[in-house]
Amino acid sequence: MVVYQDSHSQTVDLSDDEVDRIFRALADATRRDIVRRTLTEEATISHLADHYEMSFAAVQKHITVLEGAGLVSKHRSGRERRIRGNPEAVQKAQHLLNAYERIWQGRIDRLDALLADE
Amino acid sequence: MVVYQDSHSQTVDLSDDEVDRIFRALADATRRDIVRRTLTEEATISHLADHYEMSFAAVQKHITVLEGAGLVSKHRSGRERRIRGNPEAVQKAQHLLNAYERIWQGRIDRLDALLADE
DNA sequence: TTGATATACAACCATTTGGTTTCACGTTAG
DNA sequence: CTAACGTGAAACCAAATGGTTGTATATCAA
């Protein structure tokens, strides 16, 4: 379990599994590209699939992984499904990395205190 | 390939593979914990292994994954290897996520411009 | 010197991942 | 109505992942 404070000083909890899924989903160039594209504008699955040298079904699977991580969501529109990137999930990942940053900064602060003592 | 500008306006390039490895390495709770611990202070492999309910060899493998992603480095000290977290690799990941943030922000800006035109 | 400790590494195994092809089904266009 | 389209989902496969145990090697302590 991970706990951090967001920009409004709200405490946010993320299970290890949720964090695993977010980083796992981002660990693939095709999936990162899908997130990038759908953050700026929605796209259908087959439209996305046109951009990659793999089968439609493979792209579909990547989208399933991204959806499981909350990085994109699907919205029905007739026979199409529009895929929309979710900036909040990206922010979650950012907050997690910020926490590491603070941990590291904490070490520096303690080092400074140590040096100040001498 | 990913390109972003760091805090000193330096252009930084990361191969897709490198980005893959960083996020992949962070997609495991044990590995994230190792990074967290070694960012504040160095630790030997066996000392780290004491904290997890898995074999020494399994922890060793996790450290190899982290090392491959540049998130930690090993430093020989007699028969021990001290593991040290690398904040720069964490920052790389942060920069990548910041890029997504800017992409998303760009969409908002364009929307604002569109509304301003009306 | 000898025994314990710290690490490295290989071999093995089950599960997951990332891809494929194929088929089914609802929706839209003509 | 019928054909084409967009999607979902199953079955299958090779490779990667995450774990294990076992063995080898180097170093430290007594």
Side-chain angles (χ1 to χ4, degrees):
Chain A
M1 186 73 89
V2 180
V3 181
Y4 67 84
Q5 290 203 343
D6 72 10
S7 54
H8 306 301
S9 296
Q10 291 278 3
T11 299
V12 179
D13 301 73
L14 293 174
S15 72
D16 281 343
D17 274 359
E18 190 174 354
V19 180
D20 284 5
R21 280 195 297 271
I22 291 175
F23 283 128
R24 189 84 189 65
L26 290 171
D28 179 283
T30 302
R31 288 196 291 258
R32 286 192 300 275
D33 196 65
I34 291 173
V35 170
R36 187 181 60 73
R37 294 188 123 92
T38 57
L39 274 176
T40 52
E41 56 183 339
E42 291 185 1
T44 66
I45 302 179
S46 41
H47 178 69
L48 286 170
D50 289 341
H51 294 87
Y52 312 108
E53 297 198 336
M54 66 185 71
S55 68
F56 170 84
V59 175
Q60 220 176 0
K61 281 192 181 184
H62 281 307
I63 289 170
T64 301
V65 171
L66 288 168
E67 197 183 15
L71 282 160
V72 306
S73 53
K74 290 188 198 173
H75 304 273
R76 181 168 218 132
S77 167
R79 66 179 157 181
E80 297 179 341
R81 291 298 181 91
R82 312 197 67 80
I83 309 301
R84 183 187 306 165
N86 175 18
E88 289 181 21
V90 176
Q91 287 179 347
K92 280 186 187 177
Q94 281 186 306
H95 288 312
L96 291 165
L97 294 178
N98 289 343
Y100 287 104
E101 187 76 17
R102 281 197 299 275
I103 286 168
W104 177 65
Q105 193 58 45
R107 181 185 71 163
I108 301 299
D109 290 346
R110 279 193 301 284
L111 252 171
D112 285 350
L114 198 67
L115 292 171
D117 277 353
E118 291 179 0
Chain B
M1 184 75 86
V2 180
V3 181
Y4 65 84
Q5 289 204 343
D6 71 9
S7 54
H8 306 299
S9 294
Q10 291 279 3
T11 298
V12 178
D13 301 74
L14 292 174
S15 72
D16 281 344
D17 275 358
E18 189 174 354
V19 180
D20 284 6
R21 280 194 298 271
I22 292 175
F23 282 127
R24 189 83 190 64
L26 290 172
D28 180 282
T30 302
R31 290 197 290 259
R32 286 192 300 275
D33 196 65
I34 291 173
V35 171
R36 187 181 59 73
R37 295 187 121 93
T38 58
L39 275 175
T40 51
E41 57 183 337
E42 290 185 4
T44 66
I45 303 179
S46 41
H47 178 70
L48 285 169
D50 289 342
H51 294 87
Y52 312 109
E53 297 198 336
M54 66 185 70
S55 68
F56 170 84
V59 174
Q60 219 176 359
K61 281 193 181 182
H62 281 307
I63 290 170
T64 300
V65 171
L66 289 169
E67 198 183 13
L71 283 160
V72 306
S73 53
K74 290 187 199 173
H75 303 273
R76 181 168 218 132
S77 167
R79 66 180 156 180
E80 299 178 339
R81 292 297 181 91
R82 312 197 66 80
I83 308 301
R84 183 188 305 165
N86 176 18
E88 288 180 21
V90 175
Q91 288 180 345
K92 280 186 187 177
Q94 282 186 306
H95 288 311
L96 291 165
L97 294 179
N98 289 343
Y100 287 104
E101 186 75 18
R102 282 197 298 275
I103 286 168
W104 177 64
Q105 192 58 45
R107 182 186 70 166
I108 300 299
D109 291 346
R110 279 193 301 283
L111 251 170
D112 286 349
L114 198 67
L115 291 172
D117 276 353
E118 291 179 0

